[in-house]
Amino acid sequence: MCVPGINRIFLLVIAFFMTIGGLNACLPGPEVRRSNAGEEPTPIPTPVAVSKPTYAVSRGTVVYEQVLNGRVVPVVDAALYFQTGGTVEEVFVEQNATVRAGDLIATLERAPYEEALLFAQSKLEIAESHLANMDSQLAIDRKRAELQVALVELDLSFARSRAGITPTNEQAYEISRLEIQLELARLELDEIETAIDPNLRTAVEMAKLNVTEAEIALEKTILVAPIDGKVISLKISPGFTVDTFEPIGTVANVDDLEISILTSDSVMEEMEEGMRVSIRFATRPGEVFIGQIRRLPFPYGTGDRANEDSSVRIRFDDPSVANVFDFGDRVSVQILISERANTLFLSPAAIREFNGRLFVVVVDESGNQRRVDIETGIKGRDRVEILNGLVEGEVVIGP
C-alpha cells in the first residue's frame, strides 16, 4: 500500500542529492604537478669576459706642455691713486679718455689744506720779520762797534807816535790805557757777531719746514696722469671718499699689448724666461700666434721684488699682431716646457700606481702576465716617457 506523503518526501531528497552531485562534476579538480624526469634545469648564463685594452711600448717624441688661460693687457700701465685720503672734489676726465703725463685727473677737497698752508706761511712771515729786525739792529750795533775799534786804534797810534822811543810815564800810561780800550772794543765787536738769539733762527727754520709740509700736503690732493696713455678704468666721482694710496683707476698705453697669465707657483717653477709659446684666441679659431715668456715674477724671474704683480708676462714675436686684439681679450697659451726625441713612451692609461710605486702589467705572446716596476720621465697629454723597466715592443695590459 502506498503512502502518498512519504513518497513525496522521498522523491524530494533524491532530487537534492542528484543536484549536489551535478554541481561537483562541474567544478575543476585539484591541480596535479608532474615532473618530467627527462628535462634538464635551465643553467645560469656565464658572464662574458671583457677584454682589457693593451698598449705597446713605442719609441718617438714626448712633449710636456702647459696650457694656461690668460688675457691681453698693456705692457705699460700705472695705477691711479691719491697720496692722501679725503673726499673727491672734482674729476676732470672720464674713463677711456686719452691723457698725457701730468694732465689733471681729479682733486680732493682742498680748503683745509689751503688754510693750513696760509697759516704756516703767516707764521713764517712773523718769524722772518723778527729775525730781520734783529739782524737790522745787530747791523747797526756792529757798525757802531767797528767805529769804536777804529777810533781807539787811531788814538793809540797817535799816542805811540807822540811818545817816541822813550815815552814819559804819562805817555806810557796813556798808551797802556788805549791798548786796553782797544781790546775791550774788539771784544764788544766779537760779542755782536754771536748776539742773535738762536731760537729766532730755529723758529724761522721750523716755520719754513711747516710751509714745505703744508705745500706737499696740498699737492697730494691733486691727482695727475703718471704716464701718457688711456684711462682704462676710473671708479671715482665727486663726493667719493678715498683712502691713502687706494687704487681708483689705471692709465695704460693700449698701443703696446702683451699677455698676462696668473698661475700657481709649482707651474712657474717649471718655466723660464724666453720659453716659446703658442697663443690662440677664442675669437680667431684656427689661428696660432707665436710669442715667448718676457718676464716671470720674483723669485722665478727678473720681476721686481717690490712689484706686487705676480703674473707671467708674454710678448708676441711680431708686435704688430697685438694691434688686431683689444685690451682684456681672453687667450689660451700653450707653453712648451720640455721635449724628448727618440725616447720610449707609453700611454698614461697603461700605468698603474700603488703607494707611490709605478708599475705595469706586461703580457707575453703566450698570455703570461707579470708586473714590472717602471721609472718615468716627462709626461705629455697622451704619452709618458719610460726611463727604466720596459723595452720597445713590449705589450702592456691596461687596468
Side-chain angles (χ1 to χ4, degrees):
M1 183 174 183
C2 178
V3 180
I6 294 175
N7 290 337
R8 188 179 296 112
I9 292 172
F10 178 76
L11 291 173
L12 290 173
V13 170
I14 292 175
F16 173 75
F17 282 105
M18 289 179 66
T19 302
I20 295 298
L23 292 172
N24 288 337
C26 294
L27 294 174
E31 182 180 356
V32 178
R33 295 184 179 272
R34 302 171 183 255
S35 66
N36 189 348
E39 292 181 358
E40 293 292 335
T42 301
I44 298 174
T46 302
V48 177
V50 179
S51 60
K52 294 184 178 181
T54 59
Y55 306 89
V57 180
S58 305
R59 184 173 294 277
T61 300
V62 179
V63 176
Y64 172 42
E65 299 172 325
Q66 288 283 0
V67 179
L68 305 171
N69 294 322
R71 65 188 184 96
V72 178
V73 299
V75 176
V76 179
D77 59 16
L80 295 175
Y81 54 83
F82 286 98
Q83 298 183 53
T84 188
T87 302
V88 177
E89 186 173 63
E90 290 185 273
V91 179
F92 300 94
V93 300
E94 296 180 350
Q95 186 166 319
N96 296 323
T98 299
V99 294
R100 303 283 294 178
D103 285 353
L104 188 59
I105 301 293
T107 60
L108 299 179
E109 292 182 351
R110 297 162 55 83
Y113 298 96
E114 290 171 340
E115 292 174 1
L117 177 58
L118 289 174
F119 181 71
Q121 289 173 336
S122 64
K123 290 190 67 176
L124 175 59
E125 290 176 0
I126 293 172
E128 288 180 332
S129 177
H130 288 167
L131 182 59
N133 291 338
M134 179 60 72
D135 282 339
S136 178
Q137 183 60 46
L138 285 176
I140 295 172
D141 293 342
R142 186 181 301 108
K143 186 62 176 178
R144 184 180 292 112
E146 290 173 349
L147 291 173
Q148 185 64 33
V149 169
L151 182 59
V152 175
E153 288 177 340
L154 183 61
D155 289 344
L156 179 58
S157 177
F158 178 73
R160 285 174 176 170
S161 64
R162 285 186 62 184
I165 300 176
T166 57
T168 63
N169 291 336
E170 291 180 359
Q171 291 172 333
Y173 168 78
E174 183 63 18
I175 291 172
S176 297
R177 186 181 68 80
L178 291 172
E179 288 175 346
I180 293 173
Q181 283 185 342
L182 179 59
E183 187 65 26
L184 290 173
R186 287 173 174 171
L187 286 175
E188 185 176 353
L189 179 60
D190 291 341
E191 288 175 355
I192 290 174
E193 296 294 340
T194 58
I196 295 181
D197 186 354
N199 290 332
L200 286 177
R201 297 196 183 278
T202 301
V204 170
E205 294 303 320
M206 290 299 298
K208 288 181 179 179
L209 180 61
N210 291 337
V211 169
T212 300
E213 290 176 346
E215 290 173 340
I216 293 174
L218 181 61
E219 186 178 351
K220 288 180 178 180
T221 64
I222 300 174
L223 177 61
V224 299
I227 61 173
D228 296 347
K230 184 177 183 180
V231 181
I232 61 175
S233 67
L234 189 65
K235 57 180 183 180
I236 58 171
S237 58
F240 193 91
T241 301
V242 298
D243 293 327
T244 304
F245 298 117
E246 176 188 357
I248 51 89
T250 304
V251 175
N253 178 4
V254 295
D255 295 327
D256 189 12
L257 301 176
E258 63 182 3
I259 295 171
S260 173
I261 294 175
L262 292 176
T263 187
S264 65
D265 291 347
S266 60
V267 173
M268 285 191 288
E269 287 177 352
E270 299 175 335
M271 297 181 182
E272 294 180 1
E273 293 177 350
M275 277 185 170
R276 311 299 297 168
V277 303
S278 299
I279 305 162
R280 292 173 173 82
F281 290 77
T283 57
R284 303 174 73 91
E287 292 188 72
V288 179
F289 305 91
I290 305 302
Q292 61 179 299
I293 298 176
R294 176 180 70 85
R295 190 203 69 196
L296 291 171
F298 179 87
Y300 307 104
T302 58
D304 186 358
R305 183 172 188 173
N307 190 345
E308 296 181 358
D309 183 7
S310 59
S311 65
V312 178
R313 292 301 185 103
I314 294 174
R315 299 217 66 173
F316 295 96
D317 278 2
D318 181 2
S320 64
V321 170
N323 296 332
V324 300
F325 303 106
D326 293 325
F327 166 70
D329 280 353
R330 298 290 176 176
V331 300
S332 173
V333 179
Q334 182 177 335
I335 304 174
L336 176 61
I337 304 297
S338 58
E339 182 179 4
R340 297 281 193 279
N342 193 31
T343 187
L344 293 180
F345 68 85
L346 189 61
S347 169
I351 300 174
R352 314 184 192 199
E353 180 180 2
F354 181 75
N355 287 339
R357 165 196 169 197
L358 297 178
F359 68 94
V360 296
V361 176
V362 178
V363 59
D364 59 21
E365 295 179 354
S366 301
N368 298 319
Q369 300 179 8
R370 58 188 174 89
R371 292 187 177 185
V372 176
D373 288 337
I374 63 172
E375 180 184 353
T376 61
I378 64 173
K379 299 176 178 61
R381 283 178 294 178
D382 56 358
R383 295 180 178 185
V384 177
E385 182 184 19
I386 305 299
L387 300 179
N388 286 305
L390 297 173
V391 296
E392 184 178 356
E394 285 187 306
V395 178
V396 173
I397 299 179

